[in-house]
């Protein structure tokens, strides 16, 4: 069954890539709300870093619908995401984009949902805690594979198989990482069970996983105040609110943005006694091709951060 679903998703990505190849796409908008938007942010980041054939931007679906981009039209690709396929703002944004002539695609777990019916190309991901699906069929791996399929179109490359290999091996890599960091996760839960607020600090491609840790894990799931701080912006105001009693989770990637995060971590090490650092340099990334390890590492950090919050929820009984 999983093989059939994996094959279906690959056909859906291929169909979108073929449609993109047949049109003169000049701009990509990724549009959603909350964690659904955060999981699309690699689209924006990777396209901006890897190609000059298109520009890319991410925007909240409600804002997109309220104030559509002036240039929205036939040379645009709008990619949306809603797990339920019923998020009203996202459905409206999809309808608007299609009305303006844009090519539209959407990720969703819900076939025949309003969002699926509103777009040209649906791509299904899966989320069933009772009968869990392989990580390969979840949202982040599908986004990464789609981005590389489109890069092959625009750049004339053949890099999708490399990313497919990375995503096929991601579940094993994440399993090793969470097992390795389990003692630290348990210690984090014990030490942070009474913290009223926990900041997250990140830069670059780590920003999407820091946002998810803040908004979807700490705030939505365990009801703790949190705010995602940009590592570079930390020094332009936010640093004044941090003292030795401030709890912070900071990310360190292995991509070009690491230097920005390192500066923030060095500062935080001096000013707070409650700093947790999740460092991609400490990960065993065996199974991930070397040329994409920097952009895949955030997904492994995401798995670790999610486990940290899970252990905290167990401590809280919530």
């Amino acid at each position: 069954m999983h093989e059939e679903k994996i094959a279906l998703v690959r056909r859906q990505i291929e169909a979108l890539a073929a449609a993109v190849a047949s049109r003169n796409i000049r701009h990509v908008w990724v549009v959603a709300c909350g964690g659904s938007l955060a999981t699309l942010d690699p689209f924006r980041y990777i396209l901006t870093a890897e190609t000059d054939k298109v520009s890319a931007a991410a925007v909240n679906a409600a804002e997109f619908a309220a104030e559509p981009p002036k240039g929205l039209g036939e040379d645009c690709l709008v990619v949306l995401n809603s797990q339920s396929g019923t998020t009203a703002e996202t459905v409206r944004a999809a309808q608007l984009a299609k009305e303006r002539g844009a090519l539209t695609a959407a990720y969703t777990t819900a076939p025949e949902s309003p969002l699926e019916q509103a777009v040209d190309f649906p791509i299904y991901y899966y989320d069933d805690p009772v009968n869990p699906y392989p990580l390969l069929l979840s949202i982040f791996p599908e986004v990464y594979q789609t981005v590389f399929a489109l890069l092959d179109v625009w750049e004339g490359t053949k890099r999708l198989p490399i990313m497919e290999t990375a995503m096929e091996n991601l579940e094993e890599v994440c399993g090793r990482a969470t097992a390795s960091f389990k003692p630290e996760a348990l210690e984090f839960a014990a030490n942070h069970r009474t913290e009223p607020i926990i900041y997250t600090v990140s830069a670059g491609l780590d920003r999407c996983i820091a946002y998810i840790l803040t908004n979807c894990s700490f705030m939505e799931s365990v009801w703790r105040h949190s705010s995602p701080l940009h590592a570079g912006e930390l020094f332009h105001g936010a640093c004044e609110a941090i003292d030795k009693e401030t709890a912070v989770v900071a990310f360190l990637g292995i991509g070009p943005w690491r230097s920005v995060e390192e500066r923030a971590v060095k500062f935080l090490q001096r000013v707070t006694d409650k700093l947790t650092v999740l460092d991609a340099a400490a990960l065993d990334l065996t199974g991930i091709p070397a040329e994409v390890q920097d952009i895949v590492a955030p997904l492994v950090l995401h798995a670790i951060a999610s486990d940290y919050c899970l252990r905290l929820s167990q401590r809280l009984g919530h």
Side-chain angles (χ1 to χ4, degrees):
M1 179 182 295
H2 293 157
E3 289 75 15
E4 292 177 2
K5 288 181 169 60
I6 291 168
L8 170 62
V9 169
R10 287 184 171 167
R11 289 196 302 271
Q12 291 174 325
I13 292 173
E14 289 172 1
L16 174 60
V20 167
S22 70
R23 295 178 61 154
N24 182 31
I25 300 297
R26 300 299 303 160
H27 194 87
V28 179
W29 294 95
V30 293
V31 179
C33 300
S36 294
L37 180 58
T39 55
L40 291 185
D41 196 58
F43 245 105
R44 176 199 61 80
Y45 188 93
I46 296 172
L47 289 182
T48 300
E50 297 283 347
T51 184
D52 61 0
K53 304 299 190 302
V54 297
S55 61
V59 63
N60 172 273
E63 184 177 349
F64 185 90
E67 188 178 7
K70 189 172 182 63
L72 182 61
E74 295 181 359
D75 63 348
C76 296
L77 168 64
V78 178
V79 181
L80 309 105
N81 180 21
S82 168
Q83 180 177 340
S84 68
T86 60
T87 307
E89 307 98 300
T90 307
V91 173
R92 176 58 191 137
Q95 294 167 337
L96 174 65
K98 196 167 185 180
E99 289 168 5
R100 297 287 182 90
L103 185 66
T104 55
Y107 298 94
T108 182
T109 67
E112 301 182 7
S113 66
L115 181 60
E116 185 210 39
Q117 295 173 15
V119 301
D120 301 306
F121 293 94
I123 301 174
Y124 302 134
Y125 63 99
Y126 298 87
D127 183 16
D128 187 344
V130 178
N131 299 295
Y133 287 87
L135 186 60
L136 181 61
L137 289 172
S138 61
I139 181 64
F140 268 132
E142 294 190 10
V143 167
Y144 271 59
Q145 290 174 98
T146 306
V147 171
F148 269 65
L150 298 186
L151 281 173
D152 282 350
V153 170
W154 288 315
E155 293 296 315
T157 52
K158 296 181 179 180
R159 300 171 66 196
L160 176 58
I162 296 170
M163 185 52 70
E164 287 176 336
T165 296
M167 295 300 99
E168 287 166 0
N169 294 333
L170 182 64
E171 187 160 10
E172 180 180 348
V173 175
C174 288
R176 285 199 308 265
T178 53
S180 176
F181 277 78
K182 182 179 178 180
E184 290 89 344
L186 292 170
E187 183 179 4
F188 174 88
N191 292 340
H192 289 75
R193 65 190 184 280
T194 60
E195 290 297 333
I197 183 167
I198 308 172
Y199 290 106
T200 62
V201 174
S202 64
L205 199 48
D206 291 336
R207 291 184 66 193
C208 63
I209 60 171
Y211 178 93
I212 291 172
L213 181 60
T214 280
N215 285 52
C216 305
S217 298
F218 289 149
M219 297 183 74
E220 182 179 0
S221 297
V222 295
W223 297 355
R224 284 293 182 270
H225 291 290
S226 186
S227 180
L229 304 176
H230 187 286
E233 288 292 316
L234 180 66
F235 302 97
H236 302 279
C239 62
E240 300 294 341
I242 296 175
D243 59 27
K244 67 177 183 177
E245 294 297 319
T246 307
V248 180
V249 177
F251 291 88
L252 281 173
I254 55 175
W257 61 90
R258 182 180 177 91
S259 61
V260 181
E261 294 175 323
E262 281 182 323
R263 182 187 175 210
V265 167
K266 289 176 182 177
F267 166 79
L268 292 166
Q269 287 171 334
R270 295 196 307 269
V271 300
T272 178
D273 295 332
K274 297 181 178 181
L275 174 63
T276 301
V277 179
L278 299 182
D279 189 350
L283 300 175
D284 175 5
L285 296 176
T286 303
I288 307 299
E291 65 187 87
V292 295
Q293 285 186 358
D294 59 339
I295 61 174
V296 173
L299 304 189
V300 187
L301 291 179
H302 171 60
I304 296 170
S306 297
D307 191 57
Y308 273 51
C309 190
L310 174 62
R311 304 298 177 179
L312 179 60
S313 74
Q314 292 167 345
R315 272 279 183 168
L316 297 171
H318 172 65

